[in-house]
Amino acid sequence: MNIPKLHYISQGKTPEEHLENIQKACTSGAELVQLRLKNVKKSVVLKTAEKAREITAHFQTRLIINDHYQIAKEVKADGVHLGKTDADPSVARKHLGDYYIIGGTANTLDDCMALVKKGVNYIGLGPFRFTTTKENLSPIIPLIGYQSIVEELKSDMPIIAIGGITLNDVPDILKTGVYGIAASGEITKDFNRINAFHKLLKAPSTNEQLWNRETNF
C-alpha cells in the first residue's frame, strides 16, 4: 500500500471552509488530504465527506477521514485516521477490509508498538509542538525523542511526524528517520507551501513507501 510522505490535515471554522481548503490543497498538488471535522454532528461529517470525496476524486488525491471509519467506507474514501480515543484499529479493519488505509495517533513508543500489532498502515507520531487544533495536551516530542522511537520500534512502519510542523522544521525532523510529515496550519496559511514540502520530502508518487500489513507484525 502506498503511503504519501505529505499529509494535509484540513482546517476551517465551518465545514464549507474545510472543503474550500481541501480544494485548494488538491489544486496545489496534495497527494493525500485528511478531513478532520471535530464537534459536529455525524450527519454533517457524512455530507462534508461526500463533497470532499468528489473534490479529491477529481484530482486523484487520496482522502482520509478522521475518526469515522463507517463514513470512510460509505463515501468510498481511501481510509481513516484514528486518534487515541477513537475506535480500535482492529475493529475498523474488520469493517473496512484490507484495501483501506488505516492510520493511528501515537505519543509514545508503547503507542507505536501497539498500533503496529493492530495492523495500521501508518502512525502519526507527535506532537512536535503544541497546536490550537489539538484538544489533548500530550507532552511534546523533541527531535531526539523521534529518533529514539524510530530506532527502538525496529519496524518499516511509516512514521508521520505531526503537530505544528513548519517548512523550516522538515530537514531536522527527517534526520530522525521519520518517513513523512503531516501539516495543517503551515499549509492552510499558504497552499503554495505544498510544493516546497514536496521538494524537502523528495516525495513524488514514485517515492512512496510500500507497506505490507501482513509481513510487518
Side-chain angles (χ1 to χ4, degrees), residues 4-216:
K5 291 193 169 193
L6 178 64
H7 296 199
Y8 170 64
I9 301 173
S10 70
Q11 280 189 341
K13 293 177 182 177
T14 64
E16 291 74 23
E17 279 190 21
H18 278 263
L19 290 170
E20 287 172 14
N21 287 331
I22 285 173
Q23 172 99 33
K24 290 174 184 175
C26 291
T27 304
S28 301
E31 295 179 348
L32 182 150
V33 299
Q34 180 189 138
L35 174 64
R36 187 179 187 274
L37 286 173
K38 292 293 184 181
N39 305 314
V40 298
K41 293 180 181 178
K42 198 169 183 179
S43 59
V44 175
V45 177
L46 174 58
K47 188 176 180 181
T48 310
E50 288 172 342
K51 292 178 180 177
R53 176 74 289 188
E54 290 177 16
I55 295 167
T56 55
H58 177 75
F59 288 93
Q60 296 186 315
T61 301
R62 269 165 271 195
L63 174 65
I64 301 292
I65 307 297
N66 185 276
D67 185 4
H68 300 275
Y69 64 89
Q70 300 100 329
I71 289 176
K73 189 170 187 178
E74 189 168 343
V75 304
K76 296 182 172 62
D78 296 279
V80 65
H81 183 89
L82 300 171
K84 293 179 72 175
T85 59
D86 295 335
D88 187 284
S90 56
V91 173
R93 180 64 70 195
K94 285 180 182 176
H95 184 80
L96 294 172
D98 288 338
Y99 295 103
Y100 282 78
I101 298 169
I102 296 180
T105 296
N107 307 115
T108 66
L109 175 61
D110 286 345
D111 290 342
C112 290
M113 293 173 74
L115 287 170
V116 170
K117 288 180 180 177
K118 288 178 179 179
V120 300
N121 301 103
Y122 73 87
I123 293 171
L125 179 61
F128 180 69
R129 63 170 58 89
F130 291 122
T131 69
T132 55
T133 56
K134 281 284 187 179
E135 292 81 16
N136 69 58
L137 294 176
S138 302
I140 62 170
I141 302 176
L143 290 170
I144 190 68
Y146 276 97
Q147 184 173 337
S148 175
I149 289 172
V150 169
E151 290 175 355
E152 292 185 49
L153 191 58
K154 296 182 176 68
S155 170
D156 291 332
M157 173 71 68
I159 301 292
I160 305 293
I162 60 175
I165 294 168
T166 68
L167 275 170
N168 291 336
D169 297 322
V170 175
D172 285 337
I173 292 176
L174 291 179
K175 288 176 186 174
T176 69
V178 302
Y179 173 72
I181 301 290
S184 189
E186 181 78 345
I187 288 174
T188 305
K189 291 172 194 167
D190 181 359
F191 286 92
N192 291 321
R193 290 174 180 167
I194 287 175
N195 190 44
F197 269 107
H198 279 156
K199 286 179 179 177
L200 288 170
L201 290 161
K202 296 183 176 66
S205 56
T206 53
N207 200 30
E208 293 172 348
Q209 184 163 320
L210 290 173
W211 170 248
N212 185 334
R213 233 175 24 97
E214 302 302 324
T215 61
N216 283 276

